[in-house]
Amino acid sequence: MSRLRRLVLSLILFVLPACQQQSALAPAGEEAARVALLSWILFAGAAVIFVIVLAALGFAIAGPERLRRRLRAEGAIRFWGIAFPAVTLAVLLGYGLWLMRETIASPSPAALRVEVTGEQFWWRVAYDGPATKPIAEANEIRIPVGVEVEFVLRTADVIHSFWVPSLGGKLDMIPGRTNRMRLKAERPGIYRGQCAEYCGTAHALMSMEIVAVSQAEFDSWLAAAKAPTVPVSETARRGAALFLASGCGACHAVRGTRAEGTIGPDLSRIGARRYLAAASLPNTAENLIRFITDSSAAKPGSLMPPFAIFSPDEQHALAAYLASLK
Amino acid sequence: MTTPASQLPDDAVGLPSVLPRPEGERERLEAVWRSPRGWRVITEVNNTVIGYFYIATAFLFFLLAGILGLLIRLQLAVPGNDFLSPQTYNQIFTMHGTVMMFLFAVPAVEAAGILLLPQMLGARDLPFPRLGAFAFWAYFVGGLVFFCTLFFGTAPDGGWFMYPPLTGERFSPGIGADWWLLGIGFIEISAIAGAIEIIVGVLRTRAPGMTLTKMPIFAWTLLIFAGMIVFAFPAVILATILLELERAFGWPFFIAEKGGDPLLWQHLFWFFGHPEVYIIFLPAAGMVSMIVPTMTGVPLVGYRLIVVALIAVGFFSFGLWVHHMFTTGIPARSLGFFSAASMAVAIPSGIQVFSWIATIAAGRLKITVPSLFVIGFLIIFTLGGLTGVMVAMVPFDRQAHDSYFVVAHLHYVLFGGMVFPLFAAIYYWVPAFSRRPLSEQLGRWAFALIFLGFNIAFLPMHITGLIGMPRRVYTYPAGMGWESLNMVSTLGAFMLAAGILVFLIDVARNIRLTTGERAGDVWQAGSLEWLPNHGFGTRSIPRIDSRDPLWDRPGLAREVEAGAYYLPRTATGGRETIVTSPVEAKPQYVMRLTGPGYAHFAAAVFTAGFFLLLTVKAVVLAGLCGVGAIVAIMVWMWECDQAPAGEIDIGGGITLPSYASGPVSHSWWAMVVLMLVAAALYLSYLFGYLYLWTVAPQFWPVLSELPSLSSMLAPSSLLVVSGASLEACRRLLDGGREREGTIAVLLTLGAISLAGALGVDILQHGRAGLRPQASGYAAMVYANAALQAQIAGAVLLTAGFAAARLVAGRVDRIRRVVFDNLALLWTYSLGQTAFGLALTHGFPRLVAI
């Protein structure tokens, strides 16, 4: 980006008290950067045309007679209303089609594939794993920086839409269809995304975080993710036993244990996530307990049934266990 | 009251009717047009009275939906707000959009047409007064009941475009979605009825001499508006029928696992949805085209260019719908086409904008409240159009779609493009309908608050969306940078509301709607609606030879009021107007119009009752209402098609028949438009059928599963028998040998044949083991039957009605409009049924593996 553009951008972003993780105007990905440039060009062009129309209107109302004489001619209508827009739009269309060229041509295979399935109201994630057993995750997606990642998008229920504005545009997840999208993060960082197709009660609370790290970090994370974690502390071990005994494993899987349920999000690495409940609650023991006890109080519309059956002691044990799953 | 000869203009000699008019003629005219008093005014059908009801109701819905908008803004003013629960919020935003689009925007411009067109065209009323009244009452009852679902917590909550599978039975098991489907679905009947009236009215009841190129632009926009309704609304009606069939009976049109497709809904909905926004915008642009010349004192510059632009918009807008689906994964090549088309549609709007600017440059713009609202419209709509070009670009739309950027764009084009012209129109035309005009002072305050409030509310949303806030969210987290923008938007919304409150105060203090003496032509305008107007319209129907008749003939108002033009009387003792030819507006016959009655009112209430009770699954009561509606419609129709009353002298040496049948009849034209609606509905279905095959061909049957070709014999033969009966009836009627009884019997048998053909076909599919719940394919086969049954049912009822009239002596060789209309509908039904047979039996064979 040129220095002038960076200056203008940072001025504007200074004015906006921005947390810029989820902004199409603060691009950190290849596609987002192209669209951000397009956006500035469109804004500038729109501003120019708006000023022209405003000026024409102003002159028509109260301008000098020679200008008014030119504005009232049918030629002015043909020029400004037909010729000028036709040329401008043709140029714009060409630029737009050129920007779309990669989506029209068939691309080469991507370095990494991540499968994301939209659910009400969370994101089911799967990385290619050893042999054909995928590594399951939920709501927080790690990707390597500087590499084109192909997202394979499906849905388990209604139409959702996968949108991480800092990295690129959105693509819908539609029943019966598999949509594929490529994103490439240019810088390490945490990029927030949100479901962008109204999907029911808790649509507003269906967010995610894409964590872009170096290739080396990503590789070691993926390798570590395959291995089961063993709870160390006494409380955590009690929590582990409680987790299995209370039937949590019927819906939630934890790699390396008997918990193999796939109805709800995979919890194998829940302790390492920054947020709970599809990036709607910070990951703290207190929030974990709130969510387990009555998820729809913590996240209205959540489809997890309430579990008010645990004593405070048991709640702390469960929270400690889940926090240990890193 | 007659004008003394000494006050008549000098060239009154060449005018159609001799002055002074006879004693008592005006009084008799007034008497037949007088509205019933007190509560009995609900039986009135006069376009002026219905127009008042219509526009008041539409405005009421604007206020109600606006309050919902304020609730939305209150909830979003701060992050993490708990003012509204998500369940309530989701109902509120769904209703805000649904009520604004279906219960305010289209009805408001339709109401403006109903109120203004006859006066503007020099007619005494619209061609089908009871139909218009029926449409209004159905809308009134249905709309209010639909809105009240909010108070019971059972309002729909799937968003105003109701995408399945979220709105399917599995994910929306409650009754809300059914309210939308059945409630809004039947309100579209109102829109279509209005469209039929407007098309026939604009094309056939213009004042003599008002050729198409002399017609006011507002009439052009309403003609195109109505034509667009005819082709666009059936797509959403079909989608609505299909989704309701899926919800109620499990016919899986939109369920992917069973060979349906959620995108089918999106295609059907947006094929309607995109033209819908131009349907809303065009009449508003037409209003601006009427207001600007008056405010500048010169004729509209670029009239012909504008007409071409309007027709272009009408056509183009049907080719853009996929731009609402840019992020669904449709191949990029197809997207490119729709992107290009979406940008191209900006050009006709550009033509109009610069024509208005040219008109302003050609005259001197008086700064009045209407012209202020027009300036506001130009500014806001231009901005909306520019952001529209932005979202037409696929890469940009991939970020902007479903974010607050689009919310900003749509409000700029809809509020700027329709609501601002509506306010301009209200301030402009109120003097033509009210004893007092509105206040210039209050109006300026209203304008300032509305203009500033609107921009403060919606301009920031362009940024809010691009910095990541999606739409349709009941709350958002702190720390995203969205807080201050949302707060500003909320403050702006309340400022906008304050402006509307000022407007309401102005209305309460000053509007005195009447069918009597009005404030009149305070702006020195040029078009006919400013002639002195009464319950019966103008005293006489003028002859037109220019685009701005009041400017080009300064004495016109006085001459018309004196009764110097055509038909300054009631010739048959009832309400009448002149029917003219579509292009040249040459007088063809005198149309007799119906007056007040209860039947159409009852029909509207029963029709509303049928759909609304069906929604709450009160099937028996609904059925009773349905029967009631049919009976009421028959009673209503029984009084129509009055007997010929001989030749009528309308003045100027012209004598016209009082009855017309065949293609020159306005009733024939209405029937043809209705058939176009039916055809558009069936074509939408055909699209759906073929589309599902492209998506899920594996659900189409193999050859062995299909009923044999010989199974087509029985239905086809019955269709032939039906057609032959109809032809026989026509020949008997033409023969004129008093064979009414025979004709009645043949009609009934022929109609039963038609129904029989359909019944046999359905039975055969059933016997071949096809169940509609099995797959999208199966559901489509039965959907074909449902659509055929709709028309065949109408044919059956109309045939019965015609048979009754034949027997009662109200149909004969001359007085035959009822039979001719039946024949049109019947022929169409035969064609559609035959096509359906060919499709459901032939297509699977064509593509079978």
Side-chain angles (χ1 to χ4, degrees), chain B residues 93-113:
Chain B
F93 86 73
T94 300
M95 293 296 276
H96 171 75
T98 306
V99 172
M100 281 295 190
M101 293 300 278
F102 290 110
L103 298 183
F104 160 63
V106 173
V109 294
E110 207 157 69

PDB file of all heavy atoms in Angstrom, chain B residues 93-113:
ATOM      1  N   PHE B  93     -37.673  -7.108  13.682  1.00  0.00           N
ATOM      2  CA  PHE B  93     -37.017  -6.701  12.444  1.00  0.00           C
ATOM      3  C   PHE B  93     -37.679  -7.358  11.239  1.00  0.00           C
ATOM      4  O   PHE B  93     -37.765  -6.762  10.161  1.00  0.00           O
ATOM      5  CB  PHE B  93     -35.488  -6.910  12.484  1.00  0.00           C
ATOM      6  CG  PHE B  93     -34.984  -8.284  12.100  1.00  0.00           C
ATOM      7  CD1 PHE B  93     -35.003  -8.718  10.780  1.00  0.00           C
ATOM      8  CD2 PHE B  93     -34.434  -9.119  13.058  1.00  0.00           C
ATOM      9  CE1 PHE B  93     -34.517  -9.982  10.431  1.00  0.00           C
ATOM     10  CE2 PHE B  93     -33.946 -10.376  12.722  1.00  0.00           C
ATOM     11  CZ  PHE B  93     -33.992 -10.805  11.406  1.00  0.00           C
ATOM     12  N   THR B  94     -38.182  -8.582  11.434  1.00  0.00           N
ATOM     13  CA  THR B  94     -38.908  -9.230  10.337  1.00  0.00           C
ATOM     14  C   THR B  94     -40.153  -8.426   9.980  1.00  0.00           C
ATOM     15  O   THR B  94     -40.442  -8.173   8.810  1.00  0.00           O
ATOM     16  CB  THR B  94     -39.315 -10.657  10.744  1.00  0.00           C
ATOM     17  OG1 THR B  94     -38.144 -11.403  11.041  1.00  0.00           O
ATOM     18  CG2 THR B  94     -40.073 -11.344   9.618  1.00  0.00           C
ATOM     19  N   MET B  95     -40.896  -8.014  10.987  1.00  0.00           N
ATOM     20  CA  MET B  95     -42.126  -7.266  10.729  1.00  0.00           C
ATOM     21  C   MET B  95     -41.828  -5.879  10.177  1.00  0.00           C
ATOM     22  O   MET B  95     -42.564  -5.365   9.336  1.00  0.00           O
ATOM     23  CB  MET B  95     -42.970  -7.162  12.008  1.00  0.00           C
ATOM     24  CG  MET B  95     -43.520  -8.488  12.461  1.00  0.00           C
ATOM     25  SD  MET B  95     -44.675  -9.179  11.259  1.00  0.00           S
ATOM     26  CE  MET B  95     -46.175  -8.342  11.734  1.00  0.00           C
ATOM     27  N   HIS B  96     -40.746  -5.264  10.636  1.00  0.00           N
ATOM     28  CA  HIS B  96     -40.393  -3.948  10.113  1.00  0.00           C
ATOM     29  C   HIS B  96     -40.238  -4.029   8.594  1.00  0.00           C
ATOM     30  O   HIS B  96     -40.849  -3.258   7.855  1.00  0.00           O
ATOM     31  CB  HIS B  96     -39.086  -3.462  10.756  1.00  0.00           C
ATOM     32  CG  HIS B  96     -38.511  -2.228  10.136  1.00  0.00           C
ATOM     33  ND1 HIS B  96     -39.019  -0.963  10.342  1.00  0.00           N
ATOM     34  CD2 HIS B  96     -37.456  -2.053   9.303  1.00  0.00           C
ATOM     35  CE1 HIS B  96     -38.301  -0.074   9.663  1.00  0.00           C
ATOM     36  NE2 HIS B  96     -37.340  -0.710   9.020  1.00  0.00           N
ATOM     37  N   GLY B  97     -39.452  -4.986   8.142  1.00  0.00           N
ATOM     38  CA  GLY B  97     -39.257  -5.121   6.701  1.00  0.00           C
ATOM     39  C   GLY B  97     -40.515  -5.551   5.977  1.00  0.00           C
ATOM     40  O   GLY B  97     -40.886  -4.982   4.946  1.00  0.00           O
ATOM     41  N   THR B  98     -41.196  -6.555   6.523  1.00  0.00           N
ATOM     42  CA  THR B  98     -42.382  -7.083   5.850  1.00  0.00           C
ATOM     43  C   THR B  98     -43.470  -6.026   5.748  1.00  0.00           C
ATOM     44  O   THR B  98     -44.078  -5.830   4.696  1.00  0.00           O
ATOM     45  CB  THR B  98     -42.915  -8.310   6.616  1.00  0.00           C
ATOM     46  OG1 THR B  98     -41.858  -9.250   6.774  1.00  0.00           O
ATOM     47  CG2 THR B  98     -44.052  -8.955   5.868  1.00  0.00           C
ATOM     48  N   VAL B  99     -43.745  -5.333   6.839  1.00  0.00           N
ATOM     49  CA  VAL B  99     -44.813  -4.330   6.816  1.00  0.00           C
ATOM     50  C   VAL B  99     -44.438  -3.174   5.900  1.00  0.00           C
ATOM     51  O   VAL B  99     -45.243  -2.705   5.095  1.00  0.00           O
ATOM     52  CB  VAL B  99     -45.125  -3.830   8.244  1.00  0.00           C
ATOM     53  CG1 VAL B  99     -46.082  -2.653   8.208  1.00  0.00           C
ATOM     54  CG2 VAL B  99     -45.694  -4.954   9.073  1.00  0.00           C
ATOM     55  N   MET B 100     -43.195  -2.721   5.972  1.00  0.00           N
ATOM     56  CA  MET B 100     -42.787  -1.620   5.105  1.00  0.00           C
ATOM     57  C   MET B 100     -42.918  -1.997   3.626  1.00  0.00           C
ATOM     58  O   MET B 100     -43.449  -1.245   2.821  1.00  0.00           O
ATOM     59  CB  MET B 100     -41.341  -1.217   5.386  1.00  0.00           C
ATOM     60  CG  MET B 100     -41.152  -0.344   6.603  1.00  0.00           C
ATOM     61  SD  MET B 100     -41.951   1.271   6.421  1.00  0.00           S
ATOM     62  CE  MET B 100     -41.298   2.130   7.847  1.00  0.00           C
ATOM     63  N   MET B 101     -42.444  -3.199   3.264  1.00  0.00           N
ATOM     64  CA  MET B 101     -42.430  -3.547   1.850  1.00  0.00           C
ATOM     65  C   MET B 101     -43.809  -3.941   1.332  1.00  0.00           C
ATOM     66  O   MET B 101     -44.227  -3.527   0.265  1.00  0.00           O
ATOM     67  CB  MET B 101     -41.448  -4.707   1.606  1.00  0.00           C
ATOM     68  CG  MET B 101     -39.998  -4.339   1.847  1.00  0.00           C
ATOM     69  SD  MET B 101     -39.444  -3.003   0.777  1.00  0.00           S
ATOM     70  CE  MET B 101     -39.065  -3.913  -0.717  1.00  0.00           C
ATOM     71  N   PHE B 102     -44.531  -4.755   2.102  1.00  0.00           N
ATOM     72  CA  PHE B 102     -45.800  -5.279   1.587  1.00  0.00           C
ATOM     73  C   PHE B 102     -47.023  -4.491   2.003  1.00  0.00           C
ATOM     74  O   PHE B 102     -48.003  -4.446   1.281  1.00  0.00           O
ATOM     75  CB  PHE B 102     -45.979  -6.728   2.046  1.00  0.00           C
ATOM     76  CG  PHE B 102     -45.046  -7.690   1.383  1.00  0.00           C
ATOM     77  CD1 PHE B 102     -44.023  -8.285   2.100  1.00  0.00           C
ATOM     78  CD2 PHE B 102     -45.183  -7.995   0.043  1.00  0.00           C
ATOM     79  CE1 PHE B 102     -43.157  -9.173   1.490  1.00  0.00           C
ATOM     80  CE2 PHE B 102     -44.320  -8.881  -0.570  1.00  0.00           C
ATOM     81  CZ  PHE B 102     -43.303  -9.467   0.155  1.00  0.00           C
ATOM     82  N   LEU B 103     -46.996  -3.906   3.190  1.00  0.00           N
ATOM     83  CA  LEU B 103     -48.196  -3.223   3.672  1.00  0.00           C
ATOM     84  C   LEU B 103     -48.107  -1.713   3.568  1.00  0.00           C
ATOM     85  O   LEU B 103     -49.098  -1.022   3.731  1.00  0.00           O
ATOM     86  CB  LEU B 103     -48.484  -3.627   5.128  1.00  0.00           C
ATOM     87  CG  LEU B 103     -48.767  -5.109   5.339  1.00  0.00           C
ATOM     88  CD1 LEU B 103     -49.100  -5.385   6.799  1.00  0.00           C
ATOM     89  CD2 LEU B 103     -49.929  -5.552   4.464  1.00  0.00           C
ATOM     90  N   PHE B 104     -46.939  -1.181   3.304  1.00  0.00           N
ATOM     91  CA  PHE B 104     -46.830   0.263   3.126  1.00  0.00           C
ATOM     92  C   PHE B 104     -46.440   0.637   1.692  1.00  0.00           C
ATOM     93  O   PHE B 104     -47.185   1.323   0.997  1.00  0.00           O
ATOM     94  CB  PHE B 104     -45.835   0.873   4.133  1.00  0.00           C
ATOM     95  CG  PHE B 104     -45.328   2.230   3.702  1.00  0.00           C
ATOM     96  CD1 PHE B 104     -46.192   3.304   3.568  1.00  0.00           C
ATOM     97  CD2 PHE B 104     -44.000   2.436   3.379  1.00  0.00           C
ATOM     98  CE1 PHE B 104     -45.737   4.558   3.139  1.00  0.00           C
ATOM     99  CE2 PHE B 104     -43.537   3.678   2.958  1.00  0.00           C
ATOM    100  CZ  PHE B 104     -44.406   4.740   2.831  1.00  0.00           C
ATOM    101  N   ALA B 105     -45.261   0.168   1.265  1.00  0.00           N
ATOM    102  CA  ALA B 105     -44.685   0.758   0.048  1.00  0.00           C
ATOM    103  C   ALA B 105     -45.554   0.536  -1.187  1.00  0.00           C
ATOM    104  O   ALA B 105     -45.957   1.501  -1.858  1.00  0.00           O
ATOM    105  CB  ALA B 105     -43.285   0.205  -0.183  1.00  0.00           C
ATOM    106  N   VAL B 106     -45.862  -0.730  -1.485  1.00  0.00           N
ATOM    107  CA  VAL B 106     -46.652  -0.971  -2.694  1.00  0.00           C
ATOM    108  C   VAL B 106     -48.071  -0.428  -2.547  1.00  0.00           C
ATOM    109  O   VAL B 106     -48.567   0.264  -3.450  1.00  0.00           O
ATOM    110  CB  VAL B 106     -46.650  -2.474  -3.062  1.00  0.00           C
ATOM    111  CG1 VAL B 106     -47.591  -2.745  -4.208  1.00  0.00           C
ATOM    112  CG2 VAL B 106     -45.250  -2.932  -3.418  1.00  0.00           C
ATOM    113  N   PRO B 107     -48.762  -0.685  -1.419  1.00  0.00           N
ATOM    114  CA  PRO B 107     -50.095  -0.096  -1.287  1.00  0.00           C
ATOM    115  C   PRO B 107     -50.106   1.422  -1.363  1.00  0.00           C
ATOM    116  O   PRO B 107     -51.044   2.006  -1.900  1.00  0.00           O
ATOM    117  CB  PRO B 107     -50.554  -0.583   0.098  1.00  0.00           C
ATOM    118  CG  PRO B 107     -49.807  -1.839   0.324  1.00  0.00           C
ATOM    119  CD  PRO B 107     -48.479  -1.609  -0.308  1.00  0.00           C
ATOM    120  N   ALA B 108     -49.068   2.089  -0.844  1.00  0.00           N
ATOM    121  CA  ALA B 108     -49.084   3.557  -0.867  1.00  0.00           C
ATOM    122  C   ALA B 108     -49.057   4.076  -2.295  1.00  0.00           C
ATOM    123  O   ALA B 108     -49.826   4.969  -2.649  1.00  0.00           O
ATOM    124  CB  ALA B 108     -47.913   4.125  -0.078  1.00  0.00           C
ATOM    125  N   VAL B 109     -48.178   3.496  -3.132  1.00  0.00           N
ATOM    126  CA  VAL B 109     -48.140   4.021  -4.491  1.00  0.00           C
ATOM    127  C   VAL B 109     -49.366   3.559  -5.264  1.00  0.00           C
ATOM    128  O   VAL B 109     -49.856   4.269  -6.149  1.00  0.00           O
ATOM    129  CB  VAL B 109     -46.832   3.674  -5.238  1.00  0.00           C
ATOM    130  CG1 VAL B 109     -45.664   4.371  -4.575  1.00  0.00           C
ATOM    131  CG2 VAL B 109     -46.600   2.205  -5.327  1.00  0.00           C
ATOM    132  N   GLU B 110     -49.894   2.391  -4.927  1.00  0.00           N
ATOM    133  CA  GLU B 110     -51.118   1.946  -5.583  1.00  0.00           C
ATOM    134  C   GLU B 110     -52.257   2.878  -5.183  1.00  0.00           C
ATOM    135  O   GLU B 110     -53.081   3.266  -6.022  1.00  0.00           O
ATOM    136  CB  GLU B 110     -51.437   0.499  -5.201  1.00  0.00           C
ATOM    137  CG  GLU B 110     -52.237  -0.214  -6.249  1.00  0.00           C
ATOM    138  CD  GLU B 110     -52.094  -1.723  -6.167  1.00  0.00           C
ATOM    139  OE1 GLU B 110     -52.594  -2.295  -5.181  1.00  0.00           O
ATOM    140  OE2 GLU B 110     -51.480  -2.323  -7.062  1.00  0.00           O
ATOM    141  N   ALA B 111     -52.290   3.263  -3.899  1.00  0.00           N
ATOM    142  CA  ALA B 111     -53.326   4.181  -3.422  1.00  0.00           C
ATOM    143  C   ALA B 111     -53.225   5.518  -4.138  1.00  0.00           C
ATOM    144  O   ALA B 111     -54.238   6.109  -4.526  1.00  0.00           O
ATOM    145  CB  ALA B 111     -53.186   4.384  -1.920  1.00  0.00           C
ATOM    146  N   ALA B 112     -51.986   6.004  -4.306  1.00  0.00           N
ATOM    147  CA  ALA B 112     -51.819   7.272  -5.010  1.00  0.00           C
ATOM    148  C   ALA B 112     -52.370   7.155  -6.415  1.00  0.00           C
ATOM    149  O   ALA B 112     -53.015   8.077  -6.925  1.00  0.00           O
ATOM    150  CB  ALA B 112     -50.334   7.654  -5.057  1.00  0.00           C
ATOM    151  N   GLY B 113     -52.137   6.001  -7.051  1.00  0.00           N
ATOM    152  CA  GLY B 113     -52.679   5.789  -8.386  1.00  0.00           C
ATOM    153  C   GLY B 113     -54.188   5.793  -8.390  1.00  0.00           C
ATOM    154  O   GLY B 113     -54.830   6.452  -9.216  1.00  0.00           O
TER     155      GLY B 113
END
